[in-house]
Amino acid sequence: MSNFIPVNTPSVGKPELAYLRECIETGWISSEGAFVAQFEAAWASYCGRQYGVAVSSGTSALEAAVAALDLEPGDEVILPTFTIISCVLAILKAGATPVLVDADPVTWCMDIDQVEARLTPATRAIMAVHIYGHPVEMTRLCNLCERTGVTLIEDAAEAHGAEVNMNRAATPAAWRRCGSFGAMSAFSFYANKIVTTGEGGMVLTDDAGLRDRLRAHRDLYFGRPDRFRHEGIGANFRMTNLQAAVGLAQVERIDALVARKREIGARYTQALRDLPGLALPAEQPWAKNVYWMYGVVLDEATDFDARRFAAELKAEGIGSRPFFMGMHAQPVLRERGLFRDEAYPVAERLTRQGLYLPSGIALTDAELSRVCDTIQRIFQGWR
Ligand SMILES: *Cc1c(COP(=O)(O)O)cnc(C)c1O
């Protein structure tokens, strides 16, 4: 279908091409090129961090970050069940134990009451994942980590440019960017992320020791001075200069990218907020949501689920994507003895009833209107 509206369309163009051309013309295409360090510095600075370590994906960013914590068997890491599998994989590869919590029904991010309830003497870290552009309740989570000495890692792959007001009770507001919290934060620059390099990721930190470990891990722990006497078990997670060139051009127009995401979010909310039986993304008063993906959740009382909704949208030429399936519901993890007999009702409802609508930065206003009109029509047919 030629007028199909895909769930994501990235925005790349002349600025990216200019930097890419420079890579090709100079022959600097590997991770040795100068754009890598420039992209690291630009992204760290935007997020309010000292150091960036660019890697090959968001998944490898999480793996390198968790590996840098030196966890031991029996150590526990608390994370939301409602997230991507990369989060659990990083913990399992480090030999530690993932401990799940359910989603908050309003923000869809990890429920902080449950985080508190699942703390044990073995808890070493908490992995906070900002879901679909809405920040985790970081004021409470940061307090909890400070009080208990538990290390905080942020997965900010869906929250480029999102902010949290850390001074909720008083004025002036103290807005702080996602990606600036805790020991380390991980980003993805996959093609559907707000800043993209096609494939790519980064870990940010303020700790020079962690930075050095992340750099070593990314580059196979090559030894010094004996290059082929490796000093640890690392990986090849290097980002190429080509990817970093694209990333740098993206960061240079990050304000416009985030503004467009927020505009798309506001337009969807304006057009859909009166539909009965459809829950829309929240924006808590203490949060700035960047609407990475505009998710909607059908009320169970409508008798329709996300699968049927997606099929009807598809028949009208509109792409969508179902919400995450919780980690506790993953057969590949349960078969390994993880999360047996655990139930997370909010996440389960989100999986059944939730999907996200076309949200790419290159989505046009005309396409947006067509999506909204189509949803209105589908809902009328259901009544
Ligand atoms: C996209 C994403 C990742 C993984 O990033 P890749 O670059 O695809 O490996 C990790 N965490 C979250 C929350 C994501 O949305």
Side-chain angles (χ1 to χ4, degrees):
M1 209 179 311
S2 63
N3 60 349
F4 189 83
I5 304 177
V7 72
N8 179 61
T9 32
S11 165
V12 282
K14 287 212 175 92
E16 288 78 11
L17 205 52
Y19 287 159
L20 270 176
R21 175 180 289 279
E22 199 177 314
C23 298
I24 301 291
E25 286 177 351
T26 60
W28 286 102
I29 56 174
S30 79
S31 60
E32 296 285 307
F35 281 123
V36 177
Q38 286 180 57
F39 177 43
E40 288 173 336
W43 188 244
S45 155
Y46 174 77
C47 295
R49 283 275 209 200
Q50 288 288 317
Y51 311 113
V53 178
V55 291
S56 52
S57 70
T59 302
S60 50
L62 288 166
E63 187 177 326
V66 176
L69 295 181
D70 262 337
L71 299 178
E72 290 177 4
D75 287 348
E76 295 176 357
V77 181
I78 300 176
L79 79 163
T81 188
F82 190 70
T83 185
I84 192 166
I85 198 166
S86 314
C87 302
V88 167
L89 295 182
I91 296 164
L92 294 178
K93 288 199 174 176
T97 304
V99 173
L100 302 179
V101 297
D102 206 353
D104 176 285
V106 176
T107 65
W108 310 332
C109 295
M110 70 200 306
D111 179 327
I112 308 299
D113 288 332
Q114 292 194 22
V115 173
E116 212 154 353
R118 299 219 68 183
L119 284 169
T120 73
T123 309
R124 288 286 165 274
I126 297 172
M127 187 185 286
V129 189
H130 312 294
I131 298 293
Y132 301 152
H134 194 291
V136 171
E137 196 175 2
M138 295 310 288
T139 41
R140 282 189 66 198
L141 193 58
C142 289
N143 280 338
L144 193 134
C145 288
E146 265 166 41
R147 218 170 57 230
T148 56
V150 169
T151 300
L152 175 63
I153 293 185
E154 248 186 303
D155 179 350
E158 306 184 355
H160 306 67
E163 293 177 22
V164 180
N165 178 7
M166 298 304 283
N167 189 18
R168 277 151 70 171
T171 49
W175 290 97
R176 196 167 148 186
R177 287 222 165 99
C178 290
S180 69
F181 296 97
M184 285 172 283
S185 46
F187 283 90
S188 164
F189 305 117
Y190 178 61
N192 68 7
K193 303 295 156 90
I194 296 179
V195 166
T196 184
T197 60
E199 303 281 354
M202 200 182 292
V203 186
L204 302 184
T205 183
D206 292 319
D207 180 322
L210 286 173
R211 174 204 60 194
D212 292 345
R213 297 206 53 185
L214 293 162
R215 283 182 180 164
H217 189 105
R218 152 181 86 176
D219 198 21
L220 296 169
Y221 268 101
F222 280 119
R224 254 172 293 167
D226 299 337
R227 179 171 173 82
F228 290 105
R229 188 173 175 281
H230 300 266
E231 289 164 359
I233 301 295
N236 176 358
F237 287 160
R238 300 185 300 262
M239 173 182 274
T240 67
N241 205 42
L242 299 162
Q243 293 166 306
V246 172
L248 183 65
Q250 295 257 302
V251 178
E252 288 175 353
R253 57 198 180 93
I254 177 71
D255 290 342
L257 298 175
V258 170
R260 180 58 184 159
K261 279 291 197 192
R262 282 181 56 78
E263 189 182 2
I264 291 170
R267 282 178 187 239
Y268 269 133
T269 299
Q270 174 74 24
L272 303 176
R273 71 170 153 223
D274 294 329
L275 277 182
L278 193 69
L280 306 180
E283 183 169 59
Q284 294 289 18
W286 47 264
K288 178 176 154 192
N289 190 340
V290 288
Y291 303 97
W292 168 61
M293 288 292 162
Y294 195 90
V296 296
V297 181
L298 291 163
D299 194 310
E300 297 194 290
T302 59
D303 274 343
F304 298 105
D305 65 10
R307 192 174 300 200
R308 165 142 182 221
F309 190 26
E312 296 204 18
L313 285 168
K314 190 171 174 212
E316 298 285 341
I318 293 167
S320 66
R321 178 87 54 97
F323 272 13
F324 292 125
M325 178 194 276
M327 291 305 109
H328 70 284
Q330 301 286 340
V332 286
L333 299 176
R334 293 180 83 110
E335 279 161 16
R336 282 162 176 74
L338 291 161
F339 320 133
R340 292 260 172 90
D341 310 316
E342 295 182 23
Y344 299 95
V346 177
E348 284 159 24
R349 180 174 58 80
L350 293 174
T351 304
R352 263 194 320 275
Q353 302 299 113
L355 58 71
Y356 52 79
L357 301 172
S359 309
I361 285 169
L363 187 74
T364 66
D365 287 345
E367 289 173 326
L368 226 161
S369 298
R370 203 183 108 204
V371 176
C372 294
D373 293 346
T374 306
I375 293 172
Q376 299 278 358
R377 233 179 322 113
I378 291 173
F379 266 66
Q380 268 155 28
W382 285 355
R383 251 182 264 145

